[in-house]
Every structure is written in C-alpha cells, then in structure tokens.
Amino acid sequence: EMAKLMCKAIYDEAIKEGHNDVLLSYVNTARKSKYLDEYNGVWTYADLYDCFPFDNIVYIADVTGREFKNEIKKYNNIYRSSSFTDTSIVDTQTYKIAVIDYVYFHTNGNRDYDYFPQTAGTSIVTLEKNYREILRDWLIDNHYNTGTQLKASDYYSSLWQHNKTQLPS
C-alpha cells in the first residue's frame, strides 16, 4: 500500500509544481511493508524512512510507449491521470511521466529490468523535493498529521490505479 500511496503523492506534487501534462507517476516497491491500519492516524518521519530509506529524486521524463508497456507489466506501481487510458498506449509515441531516479536511470544488461534504456537522460526536469519529502508533505497537506486515519480509498481506486493485466501487448 505504501508504494501506491507514494505514487499518488508524486502525481499530485507534479501537478502542483505545474507539470500538468504528466500522465503517470511511477515507483517501484517500498523497502519495507507497512499497512495503513498499523498507524491509527499517527505517522512519523521515521515510518516514512522505514518504507522509503533512499533519497530518490523524482524526474519528469518523456518515455516511449514501448518502454512503458515493457516496464509496467513488472513489479512497479503506477498512478495515472484520469485522461490516460490503458488502450491509448502507442509504442512509438512519447508519454510524460513522474518517475523516481532509481527506476528511470537504472540499466543493467544482465538483468531483466532495464527500465528505460532508450529514453533515459532525455527531456527531463526534477521536482523540488525527494520522494519521501513529497509523501510527508502530502500527508500534512491532506491533514493526515492530525490523527485522521488514512484509508486506501483516499488515494486508490480502480479508475486511477493502473491495471497491469489490461495493458495491450
């Protein structure tokens, strides 16, 4: 659940910083599993650090549909704009995403998950804060620092979360 929450926070931050053409936010998994019901409305920065211990920077980047489809079918998490539909992915078209640096720049010829080797390093800018700070501020901005319990329905729905099984091949 934490990675899905992070996707929502990153997407909202990209829009807040004026990147209105971002269609998707994209992260891999959280380092540690924590469930929302563990918090009882009380979050600490240490909790966020347990789940997201790296200082990943968020990039706004253009990627090809082919690369995107290849990667989303794996273990990564996506939050998408309501204007973006699964059937609209064209292999040769470019899509603007908000993505953490580890996912965007990671390539290794000996592994199956060479994220975005064709477009990495092109057409990019960064958001102002690292992803953990983005999530912290999202929780505060949405009043989850006042004892309000966060529920999955606050950031996740079938409309917004990408369904990997429905992607065209």
Side-chain angles (χ1 to χ4, degrees), residues 30-43:
R31 178 57 70 161
K32 184 174 181 181
S33 294
K34 294 231 178 190
Y35 297 95
L36 297 176
D37 57 2
E38 292 178 39
Y39 294 102
N40 296 319
V42 179
W43 294 75

Side-chain angles (χ1 to χ4, degrees), residues 17-41:
E17 289 189 25
H19 302 284
N20 297 325
D21 52 350
V22 167
L23 296 172
L24 304 143
S25 59
Y26 196 101
V27 302
N28 52 356
T29 59
R31 178 57 70 161
K32 184 174 181 181
S33 294
K34 294 231 178 190
Y35 297 95
L36 297 176
D37 57 2
E38 292 178 39
Y39 294 102
N40 296 319

Side-chain angles (χ1 to χ4, degrees), residues 32-33 62-63 104 128 135 138 142 148:
K32 184 174 181 181
S33 294
D62 292 324
V63 300
Y104 188 59
E128 295 176 11
L135 180 53
W138 185 90
N142 288 283
T148 301

